[in-house]
């Protein structure tokens, strides 16, 4: 990865897409280590995490992750999912955060030098091009190490820099030695939900795993 120490950096994380990418590579992301890595690369201004929530459920499996991220350096952007019935009568749940991420990126762009997009969704190609036209550098983080690749070719080509998530594994993966201590009691490290060890991408199962419209059949 190439960054300048003087750059003002913001991370934009497409939560469902990043979850699916890490899962396909077979490792857990430690979000505390992720933040620490990019704080070393430049002046980290913002880290935003986007995900949809099924608010009608009494308990969402992703809620512990969202709470942890909210207390530990991430700005959480969420919205309720939408339920609909398709033409064949199947019930589906949809929660697309592309618009929210795009609007926020354009709003913050005047105060940034480098945008890091954690997504392989080809729909973001136009956003990357628009940011570049304002003089910003844009890095895309996804992977080519799966079959098929998790990143759309047009998005990878548009980016100023493509970073393969697989190459970051040793820098941001969760230490397997810490797993057994948490899985028994759902603890979040010595600091509870507000601190302690970093929370991982698989501590809570992501509700959506598709890469485009994030629709899930029920």
């Amino acid at each position: 990865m190439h960054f300048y120490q003087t750059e003002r950096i913001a991370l934009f994380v497409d939560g469902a897409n990043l979850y699916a990418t890490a899962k396909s590579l077979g490792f857990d992301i430690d979000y505390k280590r992720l933040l620490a890595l990019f704080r070393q690369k430049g002046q980290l201004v913002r880290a935003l995490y986007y995900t949809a929530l099924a608010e009608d459920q009494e308990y969402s499996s992703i809620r512990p992750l969202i709470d942890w991220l909210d207390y530990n350096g991430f700005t959480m952007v969420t919205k309720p999912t939408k339920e609909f019935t398709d033409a064949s009568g199947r019930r589906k749940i949809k929660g697309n955060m592309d618009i929210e991420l795009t609007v926020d990126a354009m709003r913050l762009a005047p105060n940034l030098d480098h945008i890091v997009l954690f997504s392989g969704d080809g729909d973001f190609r136009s956003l990357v091009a628009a940011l570049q036209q304002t003089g910003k550098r844009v890095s895309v983080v996804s992977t080519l190490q799966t079959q098929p690749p998790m990143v759309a070719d047009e998005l990878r080509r548009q980016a100023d820099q493509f970073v393969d998530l697989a190459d970051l594994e040793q820098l941001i993966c969760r230490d397997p030695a810490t797993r057994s201590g948490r899985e028994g009691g759902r603890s979040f490290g010595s600091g509870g939900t507000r601190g302690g060890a970093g929370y991982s991408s698989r501590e809570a199962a992501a509700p959506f795993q598709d890469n485009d419209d994030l629709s899930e059949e029920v």
Side-chain angles (χ1 to χ4, degrees):
M1 292 190 298
H2 183 68
F3 289 82
Y4 298 103
Q5 287 294 321
T6 57
E7 284 185 320
R8 296 168 297 176
I9 302 169
L11 313 182
F12 291 83
V13 180
D14 178 348
N17 195 285
L18 179 59
Y19 170 84
T21 302
K23 182 180 179 181
S24 71
L25 291 172
F27 73 91
D28 296 348
I29 295 175
D30 184 326
Y31 287 94
K32 193 169 187 178
R33 295 185 70 190
L34 178 68
L35 277 186
L37 173 64
F38 284 93
R39 282 172 176 154
Q40 295 171 0
K41 298 296 181 182
Q43 302 173 29
L44 185 61
V45 176
R46 271 298 174 271
L48 299 101
Y49 188 101
Y50 297 80
T51 189
L53 291 174
E55 293 190 341
D56 58 338
Q57 296 179 358
E58 291 185 6
Y59 172 78
S60 172
S61 59
I62 199 175
R63 176 59 69 179
L65 171 61
I66 291 173
D67 290 343
W68 190 93
L69 292 172
D70 202 20
Y71 280 121
N72 289 274
F74 284 84
T75 299
M76 302 305 301
V77 183
T78 65
K79 74 176 181 182
T81 58
K82 293 183 179 180
E83 184 176 314
F84 66 98
T85 303
D86 66 12
S88 62
R90 292 176 297 182
R91 186 166 62 93
K92 290 188 175 182
I93 299 173
K94 187 172 184 178
N96 193 309
M97 299 294 294
D98 291 5
I99 296 299
E100 287 79 3
L101 190 155
T102 297
V103 170
D104 288 347
M106 294 305 296
R107 282 177 175 170
L108 287 173
N111 300 309
L112 302 172
D113 302 304
H114 196 153
I115 289 88
V116 183
L117 174 64
F118 288 80
S119 181
D121 190 340
D123 289 344
F124 286 122
R125 189 204 65 79
S126 295
L127 168 63
V128 173
L131 290 167
Q132 291 169 333
Q133 289 169 6
T134 67
K136 312 305 176 183
R137 296 180 65 217
V138 183
S139 293
V140 168
V141 183
S142 186
T143 190
L144 292 167
Q145 304 304 314
T146 57
Q147 291 297 329
M150 296 294 290
V151 61
D153 186 63
E154 62 270 22
L155 179 64
R156 180 171 64 90
R157 289 174 180 271
Q158 186 68 51
D160 294 291
Q161 176 179 223
F162 173 71
V163 180
D164 201 302
L165 190 66
D167 295 335
L168 301 182
E169 179 176 355
Q170 297 306 312
L171 299 174
I172 65 171
C173 70
R174 179 182 170 192
D175 183 358
T178 66
R179 181 177 300 179
S180 59
R182 290 202 201 136
E183 286 181 346
R186 293 301 294 170
S187 65
F188 294 79
S190 59
T193 58
R194 301 185 184 216
Y199 205 88
S200 84
S201 61
R202 292 191 197 175
E203 293 261 3
F208 306 105
Q209 298 178 26
D210 297 331
N211 292 331
D212 296 323
D213 63 0
L214 306 185
S215 63
E216 184 180 72
E217 292 187 13
V218 178

